Amino acid sequence: MIHEKAPAKINLTLDVIGKREDGYHELNMVMTTVDLYDRLSISETDEDRIIITTNRRYLPVDNKNLSYKAAKLIKEQYGIKKGVRIHINKNIPVAAGLAGGSSDAAATLRGLDRLWKLNMSFEELSEIGARIGSDVPFCIYGKTALATGRGEIIKPIKPAPKCWVILVKPKFGVSTKHIFSNVEVNSLKHPDTKAMLDAVLNGDYKSMCKNLGNSLEDVTFKRYPDVKKIKEKLLKYGADAALMSGSGPTVFAFVYRENKKNRLINSLDQDKYQIFAVRMLG
Ligand SMILES: C[C@](O)(CO)[C@H](O)COP(=O)(O)OP(=O)(O)OC[C@H]1O[C@@H](n2ccc(N)nc2=O)[C@H](O)[C@@H]1O
Ligand SMILES: Nc1ncnc2c1ncn2[C@@H]1O[C@H](COP(=O)(O)OP(=O)(O)OP(=O)(O)O)[C@@H](O)[C@H]1O
């Protein structure tokens, strides 16, 4: 049995540069991971089938599950006739902007590479990952990186400065496709990616806080005003900085000091939101 951890990602920056001919958007993103994980257990079976099980009833377990897709692609690519059973213990909220599904797919690729001793390079894993979703190559890498193209071109950078990360997700989910379809490229705000890269390179917590930015925030805020309210609340109650992750709706806040973290959590309505206090990983 192989065990793989699949961490959630957050976007320190997300800049939408423009719309591409293939319908995707050209992005510039600084991404990192936090210690909120799904846990995957993977084992081989003799019968040539992919069996997915999970602790969450609402998740698909057929070919719509991104882990299923990952297993299918790797089996096809390497002509593997064995079957596999994958149990996903899910902790990352779904459709949250935290790349939960992408991270499960990435963990499946890493796990099957180990199970079947395929010795795949990052490039080989990443090529298969990109066929599943734009965030999967970053999730295969799993640390801190600059992601460009539609998100699938990964350049590793130093780990982001350590701090507490408070993730706040409203009860509803948001479709990434829906948010991108409402993007008007000419009216977007653009974060300063270079300043964020410098902040990470210099381990400069204050500058990292100052340069957080996400072009998709206003697009999501306009359709889901509650997401904007979460960000305002977090800033009002003492977060050093706050930003929506990915296409939302999760908003994360940074705090450096532990006592401030507890105060911030206590100020939030626990019935209205899913709240996680985690550490920066990457
Ligand atoms: C918003 C982010 O979470 C930022 O990290 C990611 O870019 C989304 O990555 P993902 O969920 O793996 O996205 P995909 O499954 O590849 O794409 C979902 C949908 O989002 C839109 N999409 C996604 C990525 C991109 N660079 N441009 C897009 O326009 C497309 O409409 C696509 O059909
Ligand atoms: N293993 C999986 N975990 C979570 N969702 C999955 C999985 N496989 C397929 N899905 C489907 O994918 C959709 C969104 O999943 P996910 O949680 O990855 O979104 P997200 O957090 O917005 O990701 P991203 O930040 O990459 O856009 C859901 O509709 C869900 O049913």
Side-chain angles (χ1 to χ4, degrees), residues 9 11 14 23-25 27 29 31 102 132-136 150-151 176-177 180 216 246-247:
K9 70 99 218 243
N11 295 81
L14 189 166
Y24 283 86
H25 290 77
L27 305 175
M29 309 186 279
M31 316 223 269
S102 305
I132 303 166
S134 310
D135 267 352
V136 179
R150 64 180 167 90
T176 303
K177 203 182 174 82
F180 272 111
L216 296 177
S247 49

Side-chain angles (χ1 to χ4, degrees), residues 26-244:
E26 193 68 16
L27 305 175
N28 238 342
M29 309 186 279
V30 180
M31 316 223 269
T32 191
T33 47
V34 294
D35 72 346
L36 170 65
Y37 300 100
D38 291 345
R39 288 171 197 277
L40 277 73
S41 314
I42 305 175
S43 52
E44 192 177 79
T45 59
D46 287 330
E47 199 189 346
D48 186 1
R49 277 178 64 195
I50 300 164
I51 300 164
I52 308 278
T53 56
T54 141
N55 61 332
R56 301 277 187 245
R57 260 179 313 169
Y58 51 79
L59 276 184
V61 289
D62 57 5
N63 59 9
K64 288 190 194 66
N65 195 296
L66 300 188
S67 273
Y68 185 104
K69 288 189 185 170
K72 185 154 187 291
L73 286 173
I74 230 172
K75 272 166 60 54
E76 279 169 8
Q77 179 120 349
Y78 290 87
I80 292 163
K81 302 286 178 227
K82 295 273 186 184
V84 67
R85 182 186 294 275
I86 303 169
H87 181 74
I88 303 171
N89 194 287
K90 194 137 204 84
N91 297 307
I92 305 173
V94 173
L98 300 171
S102 305
S103 197
D104 292 350
T108 303
L109 295 176
R110 285 195 307 262
L112 291 178
D113 175 44
R114 283 205 286 143
L115 182 71
W116 288 324
K117 302 189 172 56
L118 302 172
N119 270 318
M120 294 168 74
S121 64
F122 172 71
E123 286 69 28
E124 286 165 327
L125 287 165
S126 181
E127 192 275 319
I128 296 186
R131 287 194 255 153
I132 303 166
S134 310
D135 267 352
V136 179
F138 168 75
C139 293
I140 293 168
Y141 178 63
K143 295 179 183 168
T144 307
L146 172 68
T148 55
R150 64 180 167 90
E152 88 286 21
I153 304 168
I154 304 304
K155 184 171 171 277
I157 58 173
K158 269 182 56 173
K162 291 273 182 293
C163 62
W164 287 100
V165 183
I166 319 296
L167 303 168
V168 184
K169 185 192 165 280
K171 292 269 157 77
F172 56 87
V174 164
S175 146
T176 303
K177 203 182 174 82
H178 174 66
I179 296 303
F180 272 111
S181 70
N182 281 294
V183 162
E184 287 167 42
V185 173
N186 294 328
S187 57
L188 294 173
K189 281 193 235 155
H190 299 281
D192 187 343
T193 309
K194 172 75 173 58
M196 180 56 79
L197 288 172
D198 286 344
V200 172
L201 184 69
N202 298 324
D204 185 338
Y205 175 71
K206 274 197 178 148
S207 178
M208 174 176 76
C209 286
K210 187 171 148 229
N211 289 296
L212 289 177
N214 181 344
S215 295
L216 296 177
E217 254 191 353
D218 286 343
V219 185
T220 305
F221 285 177
K222 195 167 156 195
R223 275 144 200 96
Y224 302 93
D226 282 353
V227 181
K228 187 177 184 189
K229 281 192 199 133
I230 295 175
K231 180 171 175 176
E232 287 166 353
K233 249 186 216 162
L234 286 166
L235 291 172
K236 181 173 161 200
Y237 292 117
D240 298 331
L243 188 75
M244 184 183 81

